[in-house]
């Protein structure tokens, strides 16, 4: 038996959103409204009412928000995600006795039935409500009850009475959804951010990096992500182009963390000091840029932990420590941490201490290196612990592995996630993938962050497509999702040389050596990037992911999609030429209903990239896109302000 | 933190089937195999293994059944539903340490690496397995370990070793799905039954009903459902054609249950005695027919409960008992039970006693009248209580209300459910509805029972379509779902007269009067029904619902669908003309892949209705259907046994 109270007649089921039966939280940002739907079902013909119950943690006083029916027993309500942190929510429903009685009274009166007894029943219901009401309301209700008792049936239809009674429902036998669900509320940057990744050592020291900040800011980026800035090991250090033998002056990979000079809470002496880092954080902030650090939880053989905590590593029968490998490949410059160590608690605490250390230096965004090679339970614990400490902190999951594992990491708490966008080039690939990300329940917890390139991945498309390929991939990344990033300056300088054919590794990869980039080449995309980022900032439609819709183009090389904000006051239509070699033309077929546009009225399609203004009408509209100069439109829909029909002489 | 054990690295998620986060049971019949899928996810590159855990209740010893990977981290396993009653199941997964080591050894050996230390690691893993093994296996494992320790790396690839180690996995840190799910196992009749409903009083007494049994059996029905057989109230008794004033000799509606002669555990004196009922049950059983009774939990004003338990009814302020109404309509011959009575426990127990009373008389199937007007919690409790007593008992939910409520009742435990089939006539209506029922998770718990007519519903299609309409609706009901029923003899005699235009009530409805039917009219469909029911019995494909597939016909008036059993050894293709006035022709386009048929080999489409045999090949095949004589094909696919290519001279 479900309940010790057999008189509970309202069942609540099918609550949405819900992730894995409530095991994980849904995600929103501050200022969002969480819309909650549920089935409120009751036997027989009684009317029901219901509400969303919610509270911000740790407060345990539940607040409520009424729900309204949307048909077929389904109800909808919402509550505002006003505060950072975690909310709990659930739904309850009850029988609306007064509403039921009132609806029946209407029918009885319309049929001129004798309603003497029914008035008495109603009076009883109103008196019950009065007993739950306070002060003035109680008095008013008693007065109405008295009128009903004295044979004034028309009182039943009094809207004021209904409104007051509705405030005092009888919830004694309310039915409640059997599970309590969770919502995590992040700051807006979790949902909308433009990332720029660069190797600080290619600027010189951290102090020298500061002079690069205006350049980054001028392109409109608001997150500057630095690969690990810690001391680099020398045992088995990798040489240029990932050679197993390093030369004397080879800088090594920043991901081989730790040496006699320190580990995850130290700064590489060649970069400077923690004080220099603090200064960089401040200077960046002045330009509206947040510094994001890399959490790469692995060690070089020279890391202090290896000496101080050998129990955190796996030991082989010959007494050596197990290095990283993917047989037959060996990565002897890296020792993975052993998440199965009996001392896992101490290890977890130390890793948390690392995060707290950098949070103390003002870092509130972490890009997590290969989270899918560390225990899931650790991430769930760490992110919860950190966000309890400071709910502003965001974590980007750099997991490029099986989709289910990428999605699992997002459920465990990662704020944003790398995606397969990097390898999705064709229209059908892009369409299928972004439908999956934005039109399934993934949207409740998986926030895509799109990278056309990374230091690890120079995709074939960029190797072969030239500057036009960089242009279209930038525009797609920046408009398909609200979060995107590039690894620069390699990206804006259209660096397309791979180490060898079939490899996605950069030739002379910056992972293994410092590079001096010429930022002023005439083919730099910095102006295009600046323009695209400004378009993103100025158009709310591009700052959220939920309302992505694809439209037909009749041309397999041309993709068309729209993004809108919730009230459709901002509509952006992107038409992109995926063919980087040929001009493509054709006709889009817009889903006007999805855009809230009528077929009868023309509108201006204002291309925010070229500043061209096209007069479009109805679903079918022409496009012509030239790779290299105009690979895409990012069109803002501007309603045509006046026609002759708007003047009264036309009436 | 999810677990006190941080070393648990395998996550189990996405278990299917699961109803409402495990709140409700899935349903199967004895002999079925429950296929269970889950994602088994682990960080890093380790291999995993997993199993379905299950046990029959109340035994609490869990059994296990291994799972196999089906790609992308998804795993599948199954267990046999061998016993009636309830099972619990869940999934656990663990790291396959030996398998991981072995796979890596293969690569190391292939790359001719030094594997000295790796042999020692493997030896340790095998010794660990030995410590979990018994007797002979333990000894063999120790021997293998010793060989590995002494530098015999090729042992790593020994399949016998792998097979033995696999029997003794290290499950210390196994991950477990966070919920335990439930399975209800019914007897086969829950999934496959042919119902016949008839009013016993139209035969005379229960003893006289016995002479009707051979007729029912000859048509191939195996469930004979009788509307209530209890004493009928006389207060506000309804007259013929539902008149509010009954004449002296009016029989009344069997659903107005209870009089001075007794209530829900009594037999109407005009029908006989409980002994007569017992005799009828026995005689029916001899013919392979089960008697199903109606559970209509409502009372006439003359029911003994009204006197003995006034507290089970709602009282109005004037002291009268609340009769049924749907304002402005009044049903003063019926008092609903008040499921909100403070004495709900006593009421529930009494209703359970009614069920037990008829179970003692051999009844194991109950058709429940309007379950959606009684509290959900009551049904969940009652069905669980009864099935604990006797898991053979089945309940058919006669709820024709909002779909979500119909589905909720199925979740609460009803074995079968009435559906909207009664009102689904067009191809697009039928296709959409049966896709919903059979190709969504509804299939896990909602078993459709299709009724082309009921005493309450003579649908317009039957009123207007004549005998051809009855024919096609019978064939659709009997082949679209494994459970179906007709209300006879009105159905087989093609009774199509409604009380008035726009009404679905029968003229001179048998609900309010006894009828003498002439079963031997030449237009009776009894022979067609007998043939259809024999086809159902002889074709396993028609005895389950899951494998229904629709195929194109290019003709909106002709529907085509197939049903198959799981191993595709039985394939039935139905082509039905929904136009009861015109011959329709056209070409079906079979989804050959779904049927496991190749395009290159012809097959015989043997129409089991007409005995016509058509040679079909490939997807496109011609049909011609004449309403009134050949409104449908029910075609069994018979593989063409021999062609010249099967002889060796053709090679």
């Amino acid at each position: 038996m479900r309940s010790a109270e057999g008189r509970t007649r309202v069942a609540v089921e099918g609550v949405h959103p819900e992730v894995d039966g409530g095991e994980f939280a849904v995600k929103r940002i501050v200022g969002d409204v969480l819309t909650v739907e549920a089935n409120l079902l009751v036997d027989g013909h009684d009317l029901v009412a219901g509400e969303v119950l919610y509270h911000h943690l740790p407060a345990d006083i539940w607040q409520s928000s009424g729900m309204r029916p949307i048909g077929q027993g389904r109800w909808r309500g919402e509550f505002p995600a006003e505060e950072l942190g975690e909310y709990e929510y659930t739904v309850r429903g009850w029988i609306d006795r007064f509403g039921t009685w009132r609806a029946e009274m209407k029918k009885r009166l319309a049929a001129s039935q004798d309603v003497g007894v029914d008035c008495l029943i109603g009076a009883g219901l109103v008196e019950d409500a009065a007993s739950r009401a306070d002060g003035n309301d109680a008095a008013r209700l008693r007065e109405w009850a008295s009128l009903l008792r004295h044979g004034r049936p028309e009182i039943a239809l009094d809207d004021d009475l209904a409104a007051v009674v509705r405030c005092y429902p009888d919830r004694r036998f309310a039915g409640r959804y059997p599970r309590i669900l969770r919502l995590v509320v992040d700051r807006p940057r979790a949902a909308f951010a433009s990332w720029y990744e660069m190797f600080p050592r290619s600027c010189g020291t951290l102090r020298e990096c500061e002079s690069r900040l205006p350049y980054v800011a001028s392109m409109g980026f608001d997150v500057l992500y630095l690969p690990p800035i810690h001391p680099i090991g020398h045992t088995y250090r990798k040489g240029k182009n990932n050679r197993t033998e390093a030369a004397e002056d080879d800088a090594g990979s920043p991901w081989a963390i730790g040496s006699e000079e320190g580990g995850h809470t130290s700064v590489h002496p060649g970069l400077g000091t923690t004080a220099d880092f603090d200064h960089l954080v401040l200077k960046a902030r002045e330009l509206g840029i947040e510094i994001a650090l890399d959490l790469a939880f692995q060690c070089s053989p020279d890391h202090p932990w290896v000496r101080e905590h050998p129990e955190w590593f796996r030991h082989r029968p010959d007494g050596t420590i197990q290095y990283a490998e993917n047989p037959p490949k060996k990565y002897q410059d890296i020792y993975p941490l052993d998440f199965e160590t009996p001392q896992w608690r101490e290890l977890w605490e130390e890793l948390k201490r690392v995060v707290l250390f950098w949070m103390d230096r003002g870092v509130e965004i972490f890009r997590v290196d290969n989270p899918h090679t560390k225990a899931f339970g650790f991430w769930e614990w760490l992110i919860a612990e950190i966000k309890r400490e400071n709910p502003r902190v965001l974590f980007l999951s750099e997991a490029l592995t099986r989709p289910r594992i990428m999605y699992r990491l997002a459920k465990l708490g990662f704020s944003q996630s790398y995606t397969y966008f990097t390898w999705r080039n064709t229209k059908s690939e892009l369409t299928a993938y972004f439908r999956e990300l934005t039109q399934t329940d993934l949207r409740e917890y998986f926030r895509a962050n799109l990278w056309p390139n990374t230091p690890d991945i120079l995709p074939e498309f960029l190797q072969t497509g030239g500057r036009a390929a960089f242009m279209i991939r930038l525009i797609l990344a920046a408009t398909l999702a609200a979060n995107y990033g590039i690894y620069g300056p390699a990206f804006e300088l259209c660096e397309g040389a791979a180490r060898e054919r079939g490899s996605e590794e950069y030739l002379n990869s910056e992972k293994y050596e410092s590079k001096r980039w010429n930022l002023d080449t005439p083919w730099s995309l910095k102006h295009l990037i600046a323009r695209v980022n400004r378009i993103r900032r100025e158009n709310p439609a591009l700052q959220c992911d939920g309302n992505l819709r694809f439209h037909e183009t009749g041309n397999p090389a041309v993709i068309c999609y729209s993004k809108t904000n919730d009230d459709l006051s901002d509509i952006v239509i992107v038409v992109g030429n995926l063919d980087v070699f040929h001009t493509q033309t054709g006709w889009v077929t817009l889903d006007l209903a999805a855009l809230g546009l009528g077929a009868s009225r023309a509108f201006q399609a204002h291309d925010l990239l070229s500043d061209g203004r096209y007069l479009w009408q109805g679903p079918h509209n022409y496009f012509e896109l030239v790779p290299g100069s105009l690979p895409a439109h990012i069109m803002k829909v501007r309603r045509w302000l006046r026609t002759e029909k708007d003047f009264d002489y036309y009436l």
Side-chain angles (χ1 to χ4, degrees), chain A:
Chain A
M1 197 168 66
R2 181 164 304 273
S3 155
E5 176 50 69
R7 286 170 287 184
T8 297
R9 287 172 49 213
V10 176
V12 184
E13 60 166 36
V15 173
H16 187 272
E18 174 183 272
V19 182
D20 285 13
E23 198 181 339
F24 300 106
V26 303
K27 298 191 183 113
R28 292 293 186 274
I29 58 165
V30 165
D32 276 350
V33 163
L34 185 73
T35 299
V36 179
E37 290 188 5
N39 303 339
L40 302 183
L41 305 179
V42 66
D43 62 275
H45 306 289
D46 287 339
L47 301 184
V48 298
E51 63 192 6
V52 183
L53 295 173
Y54 64 99
H55 63 187
H56 188 261
L57 290 178
D60 67 350
I61 300 153
W62 290 87
Q63 294 180 273
S64 69
S65 167
M67 302 180 84
R68 58 201 176 280
I70 57 172
Q72 286 287 334
R74 193 130 184 99
W75 289 65
R76 184 180 290 156
E78 55 272 311
F79 68 90
E82 285 169 334
E83 289 179 74
L84 283 180
E86 204 165 333
Y87 284 77
E88 289 184 327
Y89 64 96
T90 191
V91 170
R92 69 172 165 181
W94 57 87
I95 291 169
D96 178 5
R97 291 181 202 287
F98 180 82
T100 305
W101 172 83
R102 185 173 188 253
E104 292 181 347
M105 274 296 274
K106 257 188 201 168
K107 293 179 193 161
R108 290 183 215 278
L109 291 171
S112 303
Q113 287 187 344
D114 174 19
V115 292
V117 178
D118 300 292
C119 281
L120 297 179
I121 292 173
L125 292 172
V126 175
E127 282 154 8
D128 286 350
S131 71
R132 291 184 291 269
D134 315 309
N136 194 32
D137 281 350
R140 287 179 77 197
L141 287 167
R142 283 203 189 85
E143 199 170 314
W144 274 310
S146 161
L147 291 170
L148 277 168
R149 272 207 191 282
H150 294 88
R152 295 271 304 279
E154 73 280 6
I155 297 294
L157 308 184
D158 187 318
D159 287 336
D160 290 342
L161 167 60
V164 177
V165 173
R166 205 174 294 126
C167 300
Y168 305 99
D170 175 9
R171 296 203 198 86
R172 277 177 305 158
F173 306 129
R176 215 172 151 131
Y177 189 59
R179 294 185 285 280
I180 289 178
L181 309 177
R182 288 185 301 126
L183 162 69
V184 164
V185 179
D186 289 314
R187 60 194 171 108
R189 191 144 289 168
F192 174 56
S194 310
W195 288 53
Y196 188 78
E197 173 176 6
M198 77 177 195
F199 285 83
R201 69 184 177 194
S202 289
C203 297
T205 64
L206 291 178
R207 294 306 284 241
E208 287 166 313
C209 282
E210 292 178 14
S211 59
R212 183 70 63 83
L213 293 172
Y215 170 78
V216 175
S218 74
M219 287 188 287
F221 291 104
D222 45 33
V223 178
L224 174 60
Y225 148 51
L226 307 179
I229 57 170
H230 315 302
I232 295 173
H234 44 78
T235 304
Y236 291 108
R237 174 178 288 191
K238 291 291 168 65
K240 292 194 176 77
N241 280 309
N242 202 23
R243 283 194 204 99
T244 45
E245 304 288 310
E248 189 67 32
D249 60 345
D250 275 345
S253 160
W255 283 277
I257 296 173
S259 75
E260 296 74 9
E261 291 150 337
H264 283 75
T265 52
S266 303
V267 173
H268 192 295
L271 290 172
T273 64
T274 49
D276 294 335
F277 180 77
D278 294 345
H279 200 262
L280 178 69
V281 168
L282 286 176
K283 293 311 258 186
R285 197 173 290 161
E286 286 169 13
L287 292 165
I289 292 176
E290 269 190 83
I291 300 291
L293 280 194
D294 201 326
L295 290 182
F297 285 147
Q298 56 192 16
C299 299
S300 100
D302 312 309
H303 195 292
W305 289 340
V306 177
R307 214 169 46 247
E308 295 162 12
H309 293 284
E311 73 277 11
W312 292 348
F313 301 88
R314 185 168 296 175
H315 294 261
R316 288 154 55 93
D318 64 353
T320 61
I321 291 180
Q322 178 67 60
Y323 46 81
E325 54 178 347
N326 188 4
K329 288 191 207 153
K330 302 177 177 186
Y331 309 96
Q332 288 168 290
D333 58 329
I334 299 291
Y335 286 172
L337 292 159
D338 179 14
F339 284 85
E340 291 186 334
T341 171
Q343 279 73 48
W344 57 273
R345 285 181 200 277
E346 292 77 8
L347 172 61
W348 288 19
E349 288 294 344
E350 174 67 5
L351 297 177
K352 176 181 165 189
R353 202 184 62 77
V354 170
V355 181
L356 292 175
F357 177 88
W358 295 107
M359 284 163 62
D360 282 346
R361 315 241 83 75
V363 178
E364 293 183 326
I365 305 184
F366 296 92
R367 178 268 197 190
V368 178
D369 189 69
N370 281 333
H372 59 293
T373 62
K374 287 94 193 171
F376 298 137
F378 164 69
W379 293 121
E380 188 172 26
W381 171 85
L382 179 76
I383 296 172
E385 289 276 303
I386 293 299
K387 289 183 86 83
R388 239 191 305 279
E389 199 86 26
N390 178 0
R392 290 178 49 82
V393 176
L394 305 177
F395 294 88
L396 167 62
S397 158
E398 187 254 349
L400 288 165
T401 177
R402 285 186 297 207
R404 289 199 169 97
I405 289 183
M406 296 165 66
Y407 301 154
R408 175 92 188 172
L409 289 162
K411 292 183 209 170
L412 294 173
F414 279 93
S415 324
Q416 302 183 354
S417 307
Y418 278 60
T419 70
Y420 282 127
F421 168 75
T422 316
W423 293 291
R424 295 288 175 269
N425 300 297
T426 67
K427 181 172 168 178
S428 94
E429 285 172 352
L430 288 164
T431 307
Y433 189 49
F434 283 89
R435 284 210 175 113
E436 177 181 343
L437 295 183
T438 62
Q439 290 169 33
T440 68
D441 268 354
L442 278 171
R443 62 191 279 171
E444 306 296 344
Y445 60 86
F446 184 89
R447 294 196 192 103
N449 190 328
L450 310 189
W451 291 75
N453 73 331
T454 77
D456 292 318
I457 313 172
L458 172 64
E460 259 186 287
F461 192 79
L462 296 183
Q463 295 179 33
T464 59
R467 188 168 182 271
F470 285 81
M471 290 172 75
I472 186 65
R473 294 296 291 174
L474 174 88
I475 293 167
L476 291 172
T479 58
L480 274 168
N483 290 306
Y484 90 109
I486 59 171
Y487 152 53
F491 189 87
E492 65 265 28
L493 300 182
C494 305
E495 178 58 54
R499 190 184 300 161
E500 59 196 335
R501 196 172 136 70
S503 167
E504 291 184 324
E505 287 286 341
Y506 278 92
L507 177 66
N508 304 323
S509 168
E510 211 172 357
K511 289 192 289 187
Y512 310 106
E513 57 187 291
S514 298
K515 310 265 276 193
R516 291 295 172 265
W517 299 95
N518 177 4
L519 304 179
D520 295 317
T521 57
W523 60 81
S524 169
L525 296 177
K526 62 187 175 186
H527 298 298
L528 174 67
I529 294 170
R531 173 157 279 218
V532 167
N533 279 333
R534 200 178 66 236
I535 293 169
R536 284 163 49 85
R537 274 197 310 280
E538 290 173 357
N539 284 280
L542 296 175
Q543 298 167 15
C544 53
D545 286 336
N547 295 333
L548 178 68
R549 282 291 171 279
F550 291 94
H551 305 267
E552 284 303 315
T553 67
N555 181 331
V558 178
I559 194 167
C560 175
Y561 48 90
S562 60
K563 298 192 83 172
T564 60
N565 57 356
D566 283 338
D567 65 3
L568 297 179
S569 61
D570 188 34
I571 303 175
V572 172
I573 299 169
V574 178
V575 191
N577 182 357
L578 304 175
D579 175 353
V580 297
F581 300 107
H582 308 101
T583 296
Q584 293 287 345
T585 65
W587 296 81
V588 295
T589 306
L590 298 175
D591 177 351
L592 293 178
L595 301 175
L597 295 173
S600 62
R601 188 145 190 174
F603 60 91
Q604 196 189 86
H606 177 194
D607 183 2
L608 303 173
L609 278 177
S610 69
D611 206 33
R613 289 167 191 259
Y614 305 86
L615 189 61
W616 278 17
Q617 181 171 24
H620 303 291
N621 296 285
Y622 182 76
F623 60 81
E624 177 173 334
L625 298 167
V626 184
S629 64
L630 188 75
H633 293 305
I634 305 179
M635 293 172 142
K636 187 177 176 74
V637 171
R638 299 193 185 277
R639 284 161 214 277
W640 206 242
L641 291 180
R642 276 227 164 78
T643 76
E644 85 291 349
K645 297 176 191 166
D646 299 316
F647 294 95
D648 54 7
Y649 58 69
Y650 195 88
L651 295 175

